[in-house]
Amino acid sequence: MKRTSLALRITVVCLAIAAVAVVVAGLVAARLIRTTGTDVLRQSLSAQADVVASQLDETGIGNRLGVSKVAEVVRGQGIDVVVRRPNGTLDGDGTVAAIAATKAGFTRSGTVLVEGQQYLVEVRTVGARGAAFALVQSTKTGEARGRMLVRNTVLALGAGLAVAAIAGLVLSRMLSRPLRRAASVANGMRSGRRDLRVPVEGPSEVADVAKSVNELADALQYSEARQREFLLSVSHELRTPLTAVTGFAEAIGDGVAEGEDARRAGQTIHREAQRLERLVSDLLELARLGADEFRLDPARLDLAALVDECADVWRLRCARQNVTLLVERPPGEVPVIADPRRLRQVVDGLAENALRVTPAGAPIVFSLVAAEGQARLAVRDGGPGLAPEDYPVAFERGVLNERYRDSRPVGSGIGLALAHGLVTRMGGTLTAGPAPEGGAAFTVAFRLG
């Protein structure tokens, strides 16, 4: 579905608001202009009547020449003069002005209706013998002035509407320009570009969008770099056992390895195949863990009993490499809520990593402590340990494998990442730090259940 642009929407909204304001202002102004025009016309006619009354007396009323001069002066302003003489006769009897004055009764000023048209009448009495005159003016004069004022007002309001349209267009372009840049950068990122960034400018909301797009680009760049490093690490780990399997298989197939050599070759192939199987299994479990497709069965278990079970297995394996396994745990049960099978997988993985780097004569320690509402199980080793800067990144996939594979035995590069994901999913924490024995200590912590 085709969507309208933000610039167009802002322009339309500004125009709509301005149009409503113009219509309302125009209606109010027109009403005020019509009312004010009539009032101003009435006040002007009243002032004219006062001036005429001050210039005439009964003698002037009786003198047609005096009245004609007055009538000639005011007629140019659209005003008619109707005179009632002392004897009761009217000058201009039968005219519209005379009819209007007669309706007013020569007794009051006001507005009268003659032949469908409104007239303003201002009556003044002159002398004591009943002589009077009336100034009569059609309201059309005021209406004409009102129409002119309305026209000028409409022109002014139209100019305001045009200014609002221009302002809305300029504002919409100012607001939409950074958003268009952000959209352009996002499209570039979609096509694989990771070097594009959006200038952080404009209002705070628009700047937040640009900042978020830039942070997304940084996160993608870092994530993809880590993925490349991880793939390189996994490729390296796969290549070693595959090379061994291929070489020994060729030796057996070519008849080079016979008898005892063939048996050792078969053992090597079996060992390397198991290593490949573990690596592939770890990869699959890590993928399921990241996709939230990993099944967990949490239950209440005795962590002390789990440590004893692990120690029974690993004590024999440690003895084969002349490594001492020590167990430190409190008496009695240490209850926690976790998946027993997955927690055992974590402890076995940590123990295997420790045994891989611990030299003969050095210890491995299973240390369990229950305090402050937490159970903490640490697997410590007497190996070479890690550099201080490596402990914070120990659980990132492939980091330790990349840094140490040329100087010591390493695993697949994903075991610690998998262990960290498992413990986190079970509601615990897994941390890394130096061990008192000189190597590294990996500590699993759960709330006491």
Side-chain angles (χ1 to χ4, degrees):
M1 182 179 63
K2 185 177 181 181
R3 298 182 182 272
T4 56
S5 66
L6 178 63
L8 178 60
R9 292 187 182 187
I10 293 176
T11 303
V12 170
V13 169
C14 289
L15 279 174
I17 294 174
V20 171
V22 164
V23 170
V24 173
L27 293 175
V28 173
R31 177 65 179 173
L32 290 176
I33 288 172
R34 285 196 297 269
T35 304
T36 303
T38 301
D39 292 341
V40 170
L41 190 64
R42 181 180 291 109
Q43 293 173 4
S44 175
L45 188 63
S46 176
Q48 292 278 15
D50 291 339
V51 172
V52 171
S54 68
Q55 299 297 322
L56 294 177
D57 54 15
E58 290 185 4
T59 303
I61 288 292
N63 187 344
R64 291 186 177 274
L65 181 60
V67 173
S68 64
K69 287 182 178 181
V70 171
E72 183 179 353
V73 171
V74 298
R75 191 176 293 113
Q77 304 175 32
I79 302 173
D80 293 319
V81 180
V82 179
V83 178
R84 187 183 70 182
R85 300 186 181 280
N87 59 8
T89 61
L90 297 178
D91 288 354
D93 192 18
T95 64
V96 173
I99 295 173
T102 302
K103 281 193 172 185
F106 277 95
T107 57
R108 62 182 178 84
S109 300
T111 303
V112 298
L113 186 66
V114 179
E115 298 178 357
Q117 175 61 45
Q118 285 188 336
Y119 290 87
L120 298 177
V121 179
E122 285 292 333
V123 178
R124 297 292 186 274
T125 302
V126 179
R129 294 187 300 169
F133 70 91
L135 298 185
V136 181
Q137 186 176 16
S138 172
T139 58
K140 286 184 177 180
T141 303
E143 292 174 356
R145 294 175 182 174
R147 283 194 296 271
M148 182 179 65
L149 288 174
V150 169
R151 183 170 60 252
N152 293 338
T153 302
V154 169
L155 291 176
L157 293 176
L161 188 62
V163 170
I166 296 173
L169 183 61
V170 172
L171 176 63
S172 64
R173 290 187 177 275
M174 290 176 59
L175 290 176
S176 61
R177 186 182 299 114
L179 295 178
R180 288 197 301 270
R181 289 178 180 172
S184 177
V185 170
N187 289 331
M189 291 166 57
R190 182 180 61 183
S191 62
R193 296 284 301 275
R194 296 293 179 263
D195 58 331
L196 301 177
R197 296 296 183 271
V198 185
V200 181
E201 59 185 12
S204 60
E205 294 82 357
V206 178
D208 288 342
V209 172
K211 184 179 178 181
S212 298
V213 172
N214 291 340
E215 291 175 350
L216 176 61
D218 293 337
L220 285 175
Q221 190 174 27
Y222 176 79
S223 175
E224 291 178 355
R226 299 301 306 139
Q227 288 178 4
R228 284 192 297 270
E229 293 177 3
F230 175 66
L231 288 175
L232 289 174
S233 175
V234 170
S235 299
H236 176 81
E237 290 299 316
L238 289 172
R239 186 179 297 113
T240 302
L242 285 176
T243 300
V245 169
T246 301
F248 282 103
E250 288 178 351
I252 295 174
D254 294 340
V256 176
E258 297 178 351
E260 185 63 24
D261 291 337
R263 188 181 66 82
R264 285 196 299 268
Q267 291 175 345
T268 302
I269 292 174
H270 182 260
R271 185 172 58 252
E272 295 302 318
Q274 287 181 325
R275 181 180 174 187
L276 285 172
E277 184 181 4
R278 286 196 302 271
L279 177 59
V280 172
S281 297
D282 286 348
L283 287 172
L284 289 175
E285 289 189 350
L286 192 61
R288 293 193 188 102
L289 192 66
D292 288 335
E293 298 174 357
F294 205 81
R295 178 179 174 181
L296 290 173
D297 298 308
R300 189 175 185 273
L301 62 91
D302 181 8
L303 191 54
L306 185 139
V307 170
D308 292 337
E309 292 175 5
C310 291
D312 290 340
V313 174
W314 285 96
R315 189 173 286 111
L316 180 59
R317 292 190 58 180
C318 290
R320 291 174 181 173
Q321 299 186 27
N322 196 22
V323 172
T324 303
L325 178 63
L326 303 176
V327 177
E328 300 172 354
R329 76 171 187 85
E333 292 187 356
V334 181
V336 297
I337 304 298
D339 186 324
R341 184 170 63 91
R342 294 302 181 183
L343 186 54
R344 175 64 185 270
Q345 180 182 351
V346 170
V347 176
D348 286 343
L350 296 177
E352 184 171 354
N353 288 343
L355 183 59
R356 184 183 299 115
V357 297
T358 303
I364 291 178
V365 181
F366 288 172
S367 174
L368 177 61
V369 177
E372 299 178 355
Q374 272 195 334
R376 291 187 292 274
L377 170 59
V379 178
R380 309 195 304 255
D381 64 73
L386 303 177
E389 64 272 14
D390 289 336
Y391 287 111
V393 296
F395 304 109
E396 295 185 14
R397 290 178 294 180
V399 173
L400 299 185
N401 183 285
E402 177 69 22
R403 296 185 181 179
Y404 293 101
R405 66 187 179 191
D406 295 330
S407 60
R408 69 179 68 167
V410 293
S412 64
I414 59 177
L416 288 176
L418 178 59
H420 185 269
L422 286 172
V423 173
T424 302
R425 287 286 298 273
M426 288 187 289
T429 59
L430 178 59
T431 56
E437 291 75 17
F442 293 88
T443 304
V444 180
F446 286 95
R447 289 196 304 270
L448 288 173

